[in-house]
Amino acid sequence: LDAGEYHLAATLDSGQAFRWVRRADGAWEGVIGRRWVEISDIGGGRLEVGAQEDPGDWGWLRAYLGVDDDPVAIARTFPPDPQLREAVSAFPGLRVLRQDPWECLASFILSSTKRIVQIRQVVGMLCERFGEVVDVPSGHHPEHSFPKAAALASAGEDALRGCRMGFRARYLHATAVRVASGALDPDRLSRLGLPLARAELMACPGVGRKIADCVLLFSCGYPAAFPVDVWVLRALRELYFPTRRPNPARLLAFSESHFGPYGGHAQQHLFHYFRTRSVRPASVRRTGGVASGGGFGAA
DNA sequence: GTCCAGGTGTTCC
DNA sequence: GGAACACATGGA
């Protein structure tokens, strides 16, 4: 695929999707819908892709990867803040994926107060136990599709809890029932408009503003949706309010007005930049109550 | 042992 | 209205 500037690793490993695995040779393997897929960055703005099932014209994969977005044009819509510029230039070509809305919703219900590596484990177990077998090339370990809502609804809450998701089992099961019964149609959210789609999502148990915005951004095509999690909260405080201490509600209001029509893309850059920067020599925590840097990037 | 994780719902003032 | 707390689980 001709992809232009595309940072494959940052895109697939920035907490948007939870089923991609990097092979020793640098290629990424995953499952999209019922298809096993492999993707490699071969340089020159090109991605080498392979699938087990008949891929047709690859339009489904182009859409998933967002290769037809123009990251340079999108970045031009961002406010000209030096802090944001630095985050963007740290991972040029970081894209926002367009995932299946049900898979995205279910995955992020499992995400609350969990580390990304643990979310991957729980999602993997969920697919293994309740998904359908997917055809893979010979020699590869078996793969499964993401379970349908009906499968999780009929499995029951206790069976879901067996996938080590703890208190989130009740939320996931209740939401699966909503979707399986037709009370919520995740595929329809992209046509409702942002406020209505967000309200529909937040009517699900265990889905608040943050998880709703993740689903809206990563699967429903609303590039202005701006999920504020603990990392983005830190980023906003330290980059934009180093001396004051605005509460989360105030920061949410700021995020809605400051970052523009592609705010969600800016958010993903801030999230990935701060999360990867924090992997540094430890013992920086608990530096005191003053919010002037907190250790991040103090030159 | 203690703290924290791509939060949310409930309870209390 | 907003702050405080409970909720499972596992790794640092």
Side-chain angles (χ1 to χ4, degrees):
Chain A
L1 303 182
D2 286 315
E5 187 162 52
Y6 201 108
H7 200 312
L8 188 62
T11 301
L12 298 183
D13 197 26
S14 58
Q16 303 184 56
F18 304 101
R19 300 203 59 199
W20 291 99
V21 177
R22 193 210 293 261
R23 288 201 309 242
D25 66 358
W28 293 83
E29 287 186 14
V31 174
I32 300 176
R34 299 202 43 107
R35 284 196 182 91
W36 178 93
V37 183
E38 62 181 342
I39 312 173
S40 312
D41 185 350
I42 55 173
R46 295 171 64 80
L47 303 176
E48 184 174 77
V49 298
Q52 180 66 1
E53 307 276 334
D54 174 16
D57 66 356
W58 294 105
W60 54 276
L61 185 56
R62 298 187 68 89
Y64 178 93
L65 292 172
V67 294
D68 295 319
D69 283 346
D70 180 349
V72 176
I74 288 172
R76 274 202 291 268
T77 70
F78 297 162
D81 312 333
Q83 312 96 312
L84 180 57
R85 293 286 168 214
E86 189 178 334
V88 171
S89 59
F91 296 97
L94 165 60
R95 307 293 185 102
V96 169
L97 297 171
R98 180 71 179 261
Q99 303 175 59
D100 173 74
W102 159 245
E103 175 172 345
C104 190
L105 171 59
S107 297
F108 275 97
I109 285 175
L110 301 176
S111 74
S112 68
T113 58
K114 270 200 169 305
R115 293 169 198 272
I116 288 176
V117 59
Q118 293 175 343
I119 302 167
R120 277 199 281 261
Q121 288 172 357
V122 173
V123 168
M125 203 176 307
L126 198 65
C127 293
E128 209 170 289
R129 295 191 184 180
F130 304 109
E132 295 168 18
V133 174
V134 164
D135 195 17
V136 303
S138 61
H140 287 72
H141 70 277
E143 287 289 356
H144 300 260
S145 61
F146 193 89
K148 294 179 172 140
L152 299 188
S154 62
E157 182 183 324
D158 289 340
L160 299 186
R161 188 172 282 105
C163 296
R164 303 182 178 279
M165 63 184 73
F167 62 86
R168 303 160 195 84
R170 186 163 58 86
Y171 299 145
L172 179 58
H173 183 253
T175 297
V177 169
R178 270 178 66 84
V179 173
S181 71
L184 172 68
D185 181 357
D187 291 324
R188 207 169 58 90
L189 295 170
S190 62
R191 301 195 294 273
L192 293 182
L194 178 61
L196 214 53
R198 181 183 282 144
E200 287 267 304
L201 285 166
M202 290 178 67
C204 298
V207 181
R209 172 64 182 251
K210 187 268 170 184
I211 290 177
D213 277 20
C214 284
V215 177
L216 295 169
L217 176 62
F218 300 140
S219 74
C220 297
Y222 294 104
F226 195 104
V228 178
D229 75 318
V230 290
W231 290 102
V232 174
L233 200 64
R234 278 176 209 154
L236 293 178
R237 279 186 172 146
E238 293 177 18
L239 296 182
Y240 294 97
F241 303 94
T243 57
R244 287 197 289 281
R245 196 72 181 170
N247 61 28
R250 175 74 191 89
L251 284 167
L252 183 62
F254 170 76
S255 73
E256 285 189 290
S257 62
H258 186 69
F259 292 98
Y262 289 88
H265 293 241
Q267 173 278 149
Q268 194 59 17
H269 273 102
L270 291 174
F271 172 81
H272 193 55
Y273 179 64
F274 266 69
R275 203 173 73 86
T276 53
R277 274 186 64 126
S278 77
V279 181
R280 63 196 190 286
S283 80
V284 187
R285 301 295 146 134
R286 300 278 75 94
T287 51
V290 183
S292 60
F296 288 110

